[in-house]
Amino acid sequence: MDFRHVLPPRARRTLDHVTTAVSGPPVDPGLRVTLTFHPDHVSAGLPILAALARDGAYHSRFVTGTGTGTGTGNGGLTAHPGGDRTRWESRIFGGVYDDAEPPERPVCGAPDFRRQVVGTAPPGSAPRTSG
């Protein structure tokens, strides 16, 4: 199934970029995509899990303000203009989001190839922060 016709222009350009940059067979469409986040981290005064329940949406680190220079999570990638996460996303998404506002930026997940009940990042696999 191809959903490109219903995607925003940036998402379509990203898919085109990634499609030309990869090789190999397609990923099993039956794999679940898991989202990784720290439910106890705080965004705008609320724990991430509470904000997720309130908003009914999973937001990027650029929106939540988490992972913005603490040196933890995703290898210390930083979600602010000029930060490591910005450069990483620019590289993997072909610069499509370089000038995007925080709500337009991608949210990331990972296919659960191992089909683990805990998803792609079991508890304790990611660095922890305080505050």
Side-chain angles (χ1 to χ4, degrees):
M1 233 184 292
D2 188 353
F3 293 99
R4 290 174 194 242
H5 64 284
V6 297
L7 294 173
R10 284 186 202 271
R12 285 194 303 270
R13 289 196 322 265
T14 298
L15 286 175
D16 291 341
H17 169 76
V18 171
T19 299
T20 62
V22 299
S23 62
V27 173
D28 177 359
L31 291 176
R32 296 178 309 168
V33 172
T34 59
L35 307 176
T36 305
F37 61 96
H38 293 277
D40 57 331
H41 284 199
V42 176
S43 173
L46 280 176
I48 294 293
L49 192 56
L52 180 63
R54 178 198 64 204
D55 297 346
Y58 179 71
H59 298 292
S60 78
R61 290 174 178 228
F62 291 87
V63 171
T64 65
T66 59
T68 55
T70 62
T72 63
N74 284 357
L77 300 174
T78 52
H80 60 76
D84 290 342
R85 184 167 191 101
T86 303
R87 289 191 299 274
W88 177 73
E89 286 185 2
S90 182
R91 188 181 77 247
I92 66 168
F93 298 132
V96 171
Y97 295 96
D98 287 358
D99 62 348
E101 293 297 318
E104 294 179 279
R105 297 191 73 88
V107 295
C108 298
D112 186 7
F113 291 105
R114 295 175 293 172
R115 301 184 191 272
Q116 300 278 325
V117 71
V118 294
T120 58
S125 66
R128 302 288 302 181
T129 65
S130 59

